[in-house]
Amino acid sequence: MFKQVVRRFVDCSVGKKLLLGFGLVSLLAVLAIAQGLHATASLLGQSREVGERVTINQLVLQMHAAQKAYALEPGPAALVEVQRLSQALAGRLEDLAAADGLASGLRAALNAYREQFDAFVLHQRQAGEAQARMQEQAEHARLQFEAVQMDMYDQVRAALDGGLLLDGDPLSLAEQASTLQRDLLVARSLEFAHGQTGRADALASWNERVESMSTALDLLHGRLDSDSAESLASASAALGEYRQAFQRYLQSQEQSRQSAARMEQQAQALMRPVERAVDERQARMAAHGRAVMAGQLGGALVIVVLALMASLIIRTLIVAPL
């Protein structure tokens, strides 16, 4: 069979022999180019996959950093930035979902992270509202204490101007009202200290101070005239509101801390699989690159051997008869 093929080739015209020879060389060149293109396309595909996961990992890190910035300085701009990065990450995961099983787990972790962030924002807003309410009620109580104090001083001045015999009750009540004002300022400083540092001793001192103020207010009832008693009742109600607002503030802050801790867990649940996937894809791409290099080297050797064989055939069957 082979001899018949060789005989037919020998009997061909010179033009056909040259055409077949150069056609064989061209075929070998095409094979070499095709092998290189296939290897390049394979490496580019691996690189795109790694790049996609690196981009997702960067978005997760940026979103987490933006959330921490919002926790430190809450504001509309910081909130919008977290939401923008969250939506961008969700879009990337949707693009990845068609061909990668990693996306479903990441989407679940992202949804849980967003839920915790929404809860964190809600608790921060509630804490801010409670803080504003505390400020309002504390100021109202201070003004009422001051009104009682001024009423008592007016009674003292009226008695002195009229030459009346002055007992010690109005002056004592004025001093007590002044003491309540000072106690309220101390309570506000303790409230601030606890809010900034979370110190338990500051909270305990705040509770003791407010409790003593409530007791002092109860003792003052029945010793004032109708106008001062009304101011005192308003101050007592404001102090009660201040106390309740502070409790709501503490509760909201604790819920915020819990949400922040859960957010951190969800952020880790997002970052760990992505980082692991990036490492795996990079290792796979490196191994694939080595395999491609080995394949290129083997293919080049095969092509060289075929080229030598083709040149030998051309020399023996085409050039020699000429």
Side-chain angles (χ1 to χ4, degrees):
M1 180 67 179
F2 179 73
K3 291 181 179 180
Q4 292 178 354
V5 173
V6 172
R7 188 178 299 111
R8 288 182 181 179
F9 184 76
V10 171
D11 294 339
C12 289
S13 64
V14 174
K16 290 183 177 180
K17 291 177 181 179
L18 290 174
L19 179 63
L20 289 173
F22 285 112
L24 180 60
V25 172
S26 299
L27 178 62
L28 293 176
V30 169
L31 288 175
I33 294 172
Q35 183 188 19
L37 290 175
H38 174 72
T40 302
S42 178
L43 287 175
L44 285 176
Q46 294 275 347
S47 177
R48 279 195 299 270
E49 291 180 0
V50 172
E52 186 68 29
R53 284 154 180 78
V54 169
T55 300
I56 290 174
N57 193 36
Q58 289 174 345
L59 283 173
V60 172
L61 292 174
Q62 291 172 4
M63 182 182 69
H64 193 44
Q67 175 261 312
K68 288 184 176 295
Y70 174 81
L72 292 174
E73 295 183 8
L79 178 60
V80 168
E81 180 65 10
V82 176
Q83 293 173 342
R84 182 188 68 80
L85 291 170
S86 175
Q87 291 173 356
L89 179 58
R92 285 284 184 176
L93 293 179
E94 288 296 332
D95 295 338
L96 193 67
D100 201 314
L102 176 69
S104 59
L106 292 180
R107 281 203 308 275
L110 177 61
N111 290 334
Y113 180 89
R114 292 165 105 174
E115 289 177 2
Q116 293 303 323
F117 180 72
D118 291 340
F120 177 78
V121 171
L122 174 62
H123 296 146
Q124 286 289 92
R125 185 169 61 250
Q126 290 173 343
E129 292 171 353
Q131 200 168 27
R133 182 67 174 169
M134 281 191 297
Q135 175 69 29
E136 176 187 343
Q137 294 303 316
E139 180 63 17
H140 182 63
R142 187 191 67 79
L143 291 175
Q144 297 306 316
F145 293 152
E146 185 176 350
V148 173
Q149 182 184 12
M150 291 300 102
D151 287 344
M152 295 303 101
Y153 284 146
D154 287 342
Q155 291 182 25
V156 172
R157 280 194 297 268
L160 293 175
D161 291 343
L164 300 175
L165 183 62
L166 180 66
D167 58 18
D169 203 40
L171 191 58
S172 174
L173 293 175
E175 291 176 353
Q176 291 183 42
S178 178
T179 301
L180 286 171
Q181 290 186 68
R182 289 195 300 271
D183 286 345
L184 183 59
L185 290 175
V186 172
R188 293 308 310 275
S189 66
L190 291 170
E191 165 209 320
F192 180 79
H194 178 72
Q196 293 297 313
T197 64
R199 287 166 40 197
D201 59 333
L203 178 59
S205 298
W206 181 90
N207 283 320
E208 292 176 2
R209 186 72 59 170
V210 174
E211 186 63 34
S212 67
M213 290 170 63
S214 298
T215 302
L217 285 171
D218 292 338
L219 293 175
L220 284 175
H221 283 295
R223 299 177 60 190
L224 303 174
D225 57 24
S226 59
D227 293 337
S228 298
E230 184 177 348
S231 297
L232 191 66
S234 180
S236 180
L239 184 64
E241 285 290 333
Y242 169 69
R243 198 172 193 173
Q244 292 176 7
F246 186 63
Q247 295 301 324
R248 288 195 296 270
Y249 171 78
L250 292 178
Q251 183 180 6
S252 297
Q253 286 293 84
E254 179 60 27
Q255 290 173 339
S256 294
R257 282 190 288 270
Q258 293 175 0
S259 297
R262 286 191 289 266
M263 269 195 303
E264 184 66 29
Q265 294 175 355
Q266 294 302 327
Q268 294 300 321
L270 273 170
M271 287 186 286
R272 281 195 297 266
V274 176
E275 290 173 351
R276 189 163 54 248
V278 169
D279 293 340
E280 290 175 356
R281 292 288 179 174
Q282 287 177 337
R284 190 182 304 175
M285 187 172 69
H288 186 67
R290 290 191 293 269
V292 167
M293 289 179 62
Q296 287 283 81
L297 181 60
L301 291 175
V302 171
I303 289 173
V304 168
V305 171
L306 291 176
L308 290 174
M309 292 175 62
S311 64
L312 182 61
I313 292 173
I314 291 172
R315 179 181 177 185
T316 303
L317 299 180
I318 299 177
V319 178
L322 294 178

